Amino acid sequence: MSQIELLLVIGVLVPLASFGLLALLGSRLGKPRAGWVAVAAIATSTVLATVALVQWRGMDATARQAARSTPVLWARLGGVPLTFGVNLDSLTLIMFFMVSFVSLCIFVFSVGYMAGHSDEIDGVSKFHRFFTYLSLFCFSMLLLVIADSLLLLFIAWELVGLCSYLLIGYYFHKTSASTAAIKAFVTNRVGDFGFIIGLGMAFLFLGDLSLSGATQAFRAQYESWCENPFSHQAALFTQAFCGVNLATWMGVLLFCGAIGKSAQFPLHVWLPDAMEGPTPVSALIHAATMVAAGVYLTARIFVLLTPQAQLFVAVIGCITLTLGALVAIVQTDIKRVLAYSTISQLGYMMLGMGVGAWIAALFHLLTHAFFKALMFLGSGQVIEGCHHEQDIRKMGGLIRKMPVTGVTFLVGVLAIAGVGIPAVWMPGHLPLGLGGYFGKDEILAVAWTRTLGHEYADLSPLLFYVPMIVAYITAFYMMRCWWLTFMGQPRDQHVYDHAHESKLMYLPLVVLAAGTCVAGYCLFRPLVADAAPQPFLETHAFDGLAAEGAARGTPIDHAAHAALAKYVGLAFVVGFTLAWLIYRRGLAIGEKLATALRPLHTLLVQKFYFDHAYGAVLVGGTLALKAVLYAFDKYIVDGLVNLSAYVTERLSWLSGVVFDQRVVDGAVNGVGRGTWELGGIVRKPQVGRIRNYILFAAGSVAVVVLWMAFG
């Protein structure tokens, strides 16, 4: 094992050690020492990740290749080796650094946030339980990042799902929290069911669960299919189910895991409800790390996706980004605005993966982690400072009470809105913008190239026009959220009078705001580009389009960026201005618009009735099925059992009472009774007197003689 791999492995194990320590001794450590133990552990992982990243940056291609060691053979399943090792490449290192660094900021924030919360259950403090779960989650997420095989990745994947269940339901005494935790767990299991079927298909058809081995086997089958479409080795491409070849089904089913974890349509319903967990959980799991796992998985299996599977990914991403943005417009809970914003941005990333903007999608993932964690922690500062008030309609003017929180939150708003100056407007100069601008800009540029460009256009223009329109909506609802929270006049004097901010809690906000400002210019982009997979499919989205040009740092297509500047260059200006015009004087204009557009407003407030539909079809269907099965069990199964018991009881009565007692016992008793009565008759002459016996004998002789004489 190389030094860099050793650093990463230790970085994974340190949070695990923290989990074990807090699980055993956390209650003794108490508050806040248990929290600082977790902070120290994740800080160690961050330092190790930084050292590994710096070393990796200083290596050339030969040294990087030499740093990759052979995976450890764990077991053999039939003839297939199951190996565990470190998937050492640029993407692993930058993701490892991002997860540990953002987690460190969230851990520090959590110490201050949880200090103000009552955590006693039955008189016993459970402060350590929160950081125990956080430590286990970080171990699971970091293990997922370094996994070099689909099997190890799946194991870490399920651990992440378990931790999300525990953290969302941290306030398990609240019905809403426990229900949200169950909803998240069950919804993710639906996606994971598809994932495990796809894993089985990879095992069956590729014969290797390691990422590199599966890629080589997939490539070999593709080349075999190209040479001879009817060859046995090309089973993935020659066999079909429902008109779709098995290779596409395998990719789609593997992607199902990402649909669940990254809250993509139609499994997006769990993430908004997951806001029932503590705000640091929302920042850690639902902004920076767990939901990012789905995008990371898609990036790792991208080489196993056929063009048809990529199109499926793009369509799912396009639908998701639209639904999330539209519903976010009408949300009044500050955390739910951010939750639906997260759904929409994850949709952008999936769209990028689907259209071939692999580098742009991951670049957006990394920058999104900074500004979305920043805004979630900012919302936590607001909620904590306003005595747990989350309704933005009751806020207003908080910038005067929370200046640091307000300014840093605005940085996140500017980043997610894509504030920047397109490169085509500044010839010869580097483009200017915040983190969200660069990733979203390139995703849209590739989408334009694949839909409206002259050379590579092969997809529906909707895959460009829809996310382009959503770019305007994003700027609108994020400015609406910020303005109603921090600007204008206070709408609830009690909330305003008690508002305050904590230094321990706003320090991570400043760090994340700085990261949001510089993330687009630092080493993220070249490292992500360095990890881009090599094209091998002729119809692969990377072929001559995104990977090679982006890796060299050159624009994808000048015409694409020019078109993008024309269509969305000022999207943030339009969105911000519209939000300011509607909400600059408070809620009055917004309420009038809601009344005028009541059917549409109701549709958005009800979240397109997805929960209602799932409740009626899935929950209601399950309850109806339960009623049918209950009736079948009660009246058919139990009826047959009870009938059998009744018949058996009647037969037992017939044989036991009627036949045995009255016939068998009656006959035996009759014989005994007859014998007894006959004995009584015979016994009567036996009086014990000899003269009577002589008399009876003489009389008998006389009767015999007379009978013989006269007979």
Side-chain angles (χ1 to χ4, degrees):
M1 182 177 292
S2 66
Q3 183 178 359
I4 293 181
E5 289 179 327
L6 183 61
L7 290 173
L8 296 181
V9 171
I10 295 174
V12 171
L13 295 178
V14 170
L16 180 62
S18 171
F19 162 74
L21 178 63
L22 292 176
L24 296 174
L25 303 175
S27 58
R28 296 185 180 182
L29 291 172
K31 188 185 206 178
R33 284 179 294 180
W36 288 117
V37 168
V39 170
I42 196 62
T44 303
S45 296
T46 305
V47 171
L48 294 172
T50 305
V51 173
L53 189 60
V54 171
Q55 289 186 9
W56 183 261
R57 284 279 292 171
M59 292 180 176
D60 56 21
T62 304
R64 289 180 178 181
Q65 185 62 36
R68 299 183 176 99
S69 61
T70 303
V72 177
L73 179 64
W74 177 57
R76 286 188 177 275
L77 190 57
V80 178
L82 303 179
T83 61
F84 287 166
V86 177
N87 186 24
L88 187 60
D89 63 8
S90 297
L91 179 59
T92 297
L93 285 160
I94 197 63
M95 279 292 295
F96 199 100
F97 172 78
M98 183 274 289
V99 170
S100 57
F101 179 78
V102 174
S103 298
L104 174 60
C105 294
I106 295 170
F107 274 46
V108 173
F109 180 91
S110 300
V111 175
Y113 183 86
M114 298 304 293
H117 286 244
S118 175
D119 50 39
E120 290 189 357
I121 301 176
D122 297 331
V124 180
S125 174
K126 298 298 181 182
F127 179 83
H128 71 283
R129 183 166 59 91
F130 180 75
F131 289 95
T132 302
Y133 295 161
L134 286 184
S135 296
L136 180 61
F137 174 82
C138 284
F139 159 73
S140 305
M141 187 64 202
L142 293 175
L143 179 63
L144 187 153
V145 169
I146 70 169
D148 75 329
S149 73
L150 288 170
L151 179 61
L152 181 57
L153 192 150
F154 181 76
I155 292 171
W157 187 270
E158 293 303 307
L159 280 173
V160 167
L162 170 64
C163 295
S164 72
Y165 167 77
L166 295 172
L167 287 166
I168 294 169
Y170 176 74
Y171 300 124
F172 59 84
H173 54 282
K174 293 170 56 180
T175 303
S176 58
S178 59
T179 301
I182 295 172
K183 184 177 182 179
F185 190 81
V186 172
T187 305
N188 275 276
R189 296 292 72 71
V190 174
D192 292 351
F193 180 71
F195 186 9
I196 200 168
I197 295 176
L199 196 67
M201 291 182 67
F203 176 83
L204 179 64
F205 290 103
L206 301 180
D208 198 329
L209 293 180
S210 68
L211 293 171
S212 59
T215 301
Q216 293 173 4
F218 189 78
R219 177 181 297 157
Q221 288 218 28
Y222 173 73
E223 292 173 348
S224 175
W225 176 72
C226 290
E227 295 174 1
N228 181 8
F230 303 102
S231 65
H232 175 72
Q233 291 79 8
L236 270 176
F237 295 92
T238 57
Q239 298 182 27
F241 176 72
C242 296
V244 179
N245 64 44
L246 295 181
T248 299
W249 276 115
M250 183 183 72
V252 168
L253 288 168
L254 288 172
F255 176 66
C256 283
I259 291 178
K261 280 286 190 295
S262 288
Q264 299 293 291
F265 168 84
L267 301 181
H268 63 285
V269 293
W270 68 269
L271 194 141
D273 290 352
M275 298 301 108
E276 291 293 336
T279 300
V281 172
S282 302
L284 180 65
I285 293 181
H286 311 119
T289 52
M290 192 187 97
V291 292
V295 182
Y296 181 76
L297 169 68
T298 308
R300 287 305 188 191
I301 65 169
F302 189 81
V303 290
L304 304 180
L305 299 180
T306 64
Q308 294 78 15
Q310 290 179 34
L311 178 60
F312 178 80
V313 173
V315 171
I316 291 294
C318 190
I319 296 173
T320 303
L321 69 90
T322 306
L323 292 176
L326 291 176
V327 176
I329 295 174
V330 300
Q331 295 301 304
T332 56
D333 185 314
I334 187 171
K335 288 175 66 176
R336 287 184 178 268
V337 174
L338 299 179
Y340 281 104
S341 168
T342 299
I343 292 174
S344 183
Q345 295 306 304
L346 290 168
Y348 268 108
M349 298 170 205
M350 291 303 184
L351 171 71
M353 284 288 172
V355 299
W358 191 93
I359 298 171
L362 285 171
F363 186 52
H364 192 51
L365 168 68
L366 294 167
T367 55
H368 175 267
F370 281 90
F371 60 74
K372 188 52 65 68
L374 164 64
M375 288 190 287
F376 263 112
L377 294 186
S379 70
Q381 178 80 284
V382 170
I383 294 168
E384 181 68 17
C386 294
H387 289 270
H388 311 294
E389 180 58 63
Q390 297 184 200
D391 193 336
I392 58 177
R393 294 172 298 182
K394 297 181 180 181
M395 299 176 188
L398 294 182
I399 192 73
R400 295 185 285 275
K401 291 295 190 75
M402 302 179 175
V404 176
T405 305
V407 171
T408 54
F409 198 99
L410 178 61
V411 171
V413 170
L414 297 176
I416 196 173
V419 172
I421 302 176
V424 295
W425 292 357
M426 302 173 59
H429 298 278
L430 287 174
L432 298 176
L434 295 175
Y437 163 75
F438 296 101
K440 191 184 298 184
D441 175 83
E442 190 169 330
I443 290 172
L444 291 174
V446 176
W448 183 89
T449 305
R450 292 292 303 278
T451 58
L452 300 172
H454 298 295
E455 185 177 355
Y456 298 104
D458 60 342
L459 300 177
S460 169
L462 288 175
L463 293 178
F464 171 73
Y465 285 124
V466 171
M468 179 199 72
I469 295 171
V470 171
Y472 290 84
I473 298 174
T474 302
F476 170 78
Y477 70 71
M478 288 310 307
M479 178 51 68
R480 167 184 176 269
C481 178
W482 183 80
W483 189 271
L484 289 178
T485 303
F486 294 101
M487 303 303 290
Q489 298 301 317
R491 289 178 292 277
D492 188 316
Q493 198 61 39
H494 176 75
V495 171
Y496 179 79
D497 290 340
H498 291 83
H500 64 281
E501 61 183 358
S502 166
K503 184 175 181 179
L504 180 61
M505 292 168 66
Y506 74 60
L507 181 61
L509 302 182
V510 175
V511 175
L512 289 171
T516 299
C517 293
V518 303
Y521 297 96
C522 290
L523 46 88
F524 281 5
R525 173 54 187 261
L527 281 175
V528 173
D530 179 68
Q534 296 298 316
F536 61 87
L537 295 179
E538 292 179 1
T539 54
H540 202 286
F542 278 108
D543 191 25
L545 174 61
E548 296 179 1
R552 293 194 301 269
T554 58
I556 296 173
D557 189 304
H558 181 76
H561 283 294
L564 200 63
K566 173 184 175 182
Y567 287 119
V568 294
L570 296 177
F572 68 92
V573 176
V574 176
F576 287 173
T577 302
L578 185 60
W580 177 77
L581 289 174
I582 295 176
Y583 296 104
R584 72 184 191 279
R585 298 183 184 278
L587 301 170
I589 298 177
E591 291 174 348
K592 290 180 181 178
L593 287 173
T595 302
L597 303 173
R598 183 165 299 280
L600 177 60
H601 183 265
T602 302
L603 180 66
L604 297 181
V605 168
Q606 298 300 331
K607 300 164 286 188
F608 290 94
Y609 292 96
F610 275 101
D611 285 322
H612 299 78
Y614 289 163
V617 176
L618 299 180
V619 179
T622 302
L623 293 176
L625 180 62
K626 181 211 73 170
V628 171
L629 294 177
Y630 174 77
F632 180 80
D633 180 68
K634 181 177 181 180
Y635 297 109
I636 304 300
V637 177
D638 288 354
L640 291 174
V641 171
N642 293 336
L643 178 62
S644 175
Y646 176 78
V647 171
T648 302
E649 187 269 335
R650 291 290 90 189
L651 290 174
S652 300
W653 177 83
L654 182 64
S655 63
V657 175
V658 176
F659 184 76
D660 184 59
Q661 292 184 11
R662 297 181 183 179
V663 178
V664 178
D665 289 353
V668 172
N669 294 335
V671 172
R673 190 179 305 109
T675 303
W676 174 267
E677 291 176 354
L678 180 61
I681 294 173
V682 174
R683 188 175 62 248
K684 286 181 179 180
Q686 307 300 320
V687 296
R689 295 175 182 176
I690 296 177
R691 61 178 178 271
N692 289 351
Y693 297 156
I694 295 173
L695 180 62
F696 290 154
S700 298
V701 171
V703 171
V704 171
V705 171
L706 289 174
W707 180 75
M708 292 179 66
F710 296 100

